[in-house]
């Protein structure tokens, strides 16, 4: 058996696809083709795909996905690949596809890197690449035509990202926004805003999604009042009172069409504090830390001094 295995390896010479009829005649030992084929299939490393062909079928799902693409000779979605492979998950293919599988459109069709498709990284990434290729400017009309045709996105989506993102449009020309600083508006009177010492917090009702790891969407005016600015990507201690109970991420993406700042990595912290879905919390994120309060934990604030502070800020802003 070991001699047969070595002889088959010699004949295969690293191939991942083999015709059954070609296997037996190449062997230097007196073994029939059917015996050699049966030996390969029994090893579990090969799969019979019909019409007299065997495909090597070991390794991770990403390797199998690559082989399926080479057999079909066309881009496929993760769902189509999982169906063809017969096992695995779409998420695994999407998140761990490596450098040999590239996403080519909004629907997440995957192609092989050596097929020379334009890789799709999302509308914002593609806009940024076109601006860089153009030496600092790109044609809006050309972007609209290319993205709709090649990536399968809608014209309205492209226009929304162009108009809402960190860009300046003059005529048909789009450039990066140079001054990305954000000056906050007053948050006094907003129902979700809570003054906590020298900072502002925001009330949130916790959802199952938050407990599973999804971020909270922080009001950008509250974020800016607390010293956070666009393009910040921070990892800070998560506090409950004076105690460090974990860490939090604070990410301000100007490309976020919701206009909010992501505050995440808090699912484990919420569970430690015994917070459940439907409970209310107040988050106070700053550049130094992110404090989590239950409603009963909030320190008291003098309303008169708060209004006075806001009025002073308004007057100073006018001057």
């Amino acid at each position: 058996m070991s001699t047969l295995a070595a002889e088959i390896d010699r004949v295969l010479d690293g191939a991942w696809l083999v015709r059954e009829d070609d296997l037996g005649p190449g062997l230097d030992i007196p073994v029939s083709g059917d015996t050699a084929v049966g030996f390969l299939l029994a090893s579990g490393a090969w799969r019979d795909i019909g019409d007299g062909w065997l495909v090597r079928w070991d390794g991770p799902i990403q390797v199998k996905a690559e082989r399926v693409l080479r057999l079909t000779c066309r881009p496929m979605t993760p769902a189509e690949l999982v169906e063809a492979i017969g096992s695995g998950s779409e998420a695994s293919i999407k998140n761990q596809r490596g450098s040999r599988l590239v996403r080519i459109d909004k629907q997440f069709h995957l192609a092989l890197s050596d097929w020379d498709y334009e890789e799709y990284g999302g509308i914002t990434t593609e806009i940024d690449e076109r601006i860089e290729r153009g030496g600092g400017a790109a044609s809006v009309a050309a972007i609209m035509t290319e993205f709709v045709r090649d990536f399968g996105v809608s014209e309205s989506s492209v226009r929304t990202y162009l108009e809402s993102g960190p860009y300046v449009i003059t005529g048909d020309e789009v450039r990066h926004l140079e001054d990305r600083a954000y000056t906050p508006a007053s948050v006094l009177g907003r129902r979700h805003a809570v003054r906590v010492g020298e900072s502002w917090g925001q009330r949130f009702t916790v959802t199952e999604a938050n407990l599973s790891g999804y971020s909270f969407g922080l009001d950008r005016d509250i974020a800016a009042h607390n010293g956070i600015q666009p393009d910040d990507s921070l990892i800070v201690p998560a506090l409950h009172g004076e105690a460090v109970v974990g860490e939090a991420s604070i990410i301000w993406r100007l490309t976020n069409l919701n206009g909010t700042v992501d505050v995440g990595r808090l699912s484990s912290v919420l569970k430690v504090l015994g917070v459940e879905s439907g409970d209310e919390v107040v988050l106070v994120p700053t550049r130094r830390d992110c404090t989590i309060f239950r409603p009963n934990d909030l320190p008291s604030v003098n309303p008169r001094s708060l209004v006075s502070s806001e009025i002073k800020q308004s007057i100073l802003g006018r001057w």
Side-chain angles (χ1 to χ4, degrees), residues 47 57 61 68 74 76-90 93:
R47 178 177 177 180
W57 209 241
I61 190 172
V68 169
R74 66 176 178 85
M76 299 173 70
T77 65
E80 292 172 327
L81 288 168
V82 168
E83 182 178 1
I85 293 168
S87 63
S89 69
E90 296 178 39
I93 295 177

Side-chain angles (χ1 to χ4, degrees), residues 56-69:
R56 191 168 186 95
W57 209 241
D58 54 357
I61 190 172
Q62 293 77 17
V63 172
K64 295 176 181 177
E66 179 185 345
R67 288 170 183 163
V68 169
L69 291 174

Side-chain angles (χ1 to χ4, degrees), residues 113-181:
S113 57
D114 53 23
W115 287 353
D116 293 329
Y117 278 88
E118 175 77 36
E119 184 171 6
Y120 177 69
I123 293 177
T124 301
T125 299
E126 297 301 329
I127 292 173
D128 292 343
E129 287 183 359
R130 300 310 179 276
I131 293 175
E132 291 173 7
R133 292 178 191 174
S139 164
V140 173
I143 286 175
M144 301 286 276
T145 300
E146 179 189 2
F147 287 17
V148 172
R149 180 192 66 224
D150 295 345
F151 299 139
V153 297
S154 68
E155 184 174 319
S156 61
S157 293
V158 180
R159 189 169 296 283
T160 297
Y161 276 91
L162 284 168
E163 294 176 351
S164 303
Y167 308 110
V168 175
I169 298 176
T170 305
D172 182 53
E173 189 175 82
V174 58
R175 295 177 176 271
H176 283 122
L177 179 67
E178 293 184 6
D179 183 7
R180 297 162 76 96

Side-chain angles (χ1 to χ4, degrees), residues 78-254:
E80 292 172 327
L81 288 168
V82 168
E83 182 178 1
I85 293 168
S87 63
S89 69
E90 296 178 39
S92 178
I93 295 177
K94 286 181 178 180
N95 300 330
Q96 303 175 43
R97 60 184 183 274
S99 60
R100 299 182 69 86
L101 305 180
V102 296
R103 179 186 179 184
I104 63 171
D105 59 19
K106 178 184 177 183
Q107 289 71 36
F108 224 108
H109 279 93
L110 295 172
L112 296 171
S113 57
D114 53 23
W115 287 353
D116 293 329
Y117 278 88
E118 175 77 36
E119 184 171 6
Y120 177 69
I123 293 177
T124 301
T125 299
E126 297 301 329
I127 292 173
D128 292 343
E129 287 183 359
R130 300 310 179 276
I131 293 175
E132 291 173 7
R133 292 178 191 174
S139 164
V140 173
I143 286 175
M144 301 286 276
T145 300
E146 179 189 2
F147 287 17
V148 172
R149 180 192 66 224
D150 295 345
F151 299 139
V153 297
S154 68
E155 184 174 319
S156 61
S157 293
V158 180
R159 189 169 296 283
T160 297
Y161 276 91
L162 284 168
E163 294 176 351
S164 303
Y167 308 110
V168 175
I169 298 176
T170 305
D172 182 53
E173 189 175 82
V174 58
R175 295 177 176 271
H176 283 122
L177 179 67
E178 293 184 6
D179 183 7
R180 297 162 76 96
Y182 182 80
T183 301
S186 172
V187 296
L188 185 64
R190 298 187 191 183
R191 295 187 64 180
H192 59 253
V194 182
R195 185 75 183 208
V196 182
E198 296 299 318
S199 302
W200 282 94
Q202 182 169 339
R203 289 188 180 90
F204 290 98
T205 299
V206 177
T207 66
E208 287 292 345
N210 298 137
L211 294 173
S212 299
Y214 282 81
S215 299
F216 293 89
L218 181 71
D219 185 322
R220 59 185 177 182
D221 289 319
I222 289 178
H225 274 297
N226 292 350
I228 302 165
Q229 280 291 298
D231 300 321
D232 278 347
S233 182
L234 310 171
I235 302 295
V236 299
L239 307 180
H240 180 65
E242 298 295 327
V244 176
V245 289
E247 64 179 17
S249 64
I250 304 171
I251 305 175
W252 188 333
R253 301 179 180 90
L254 282 174

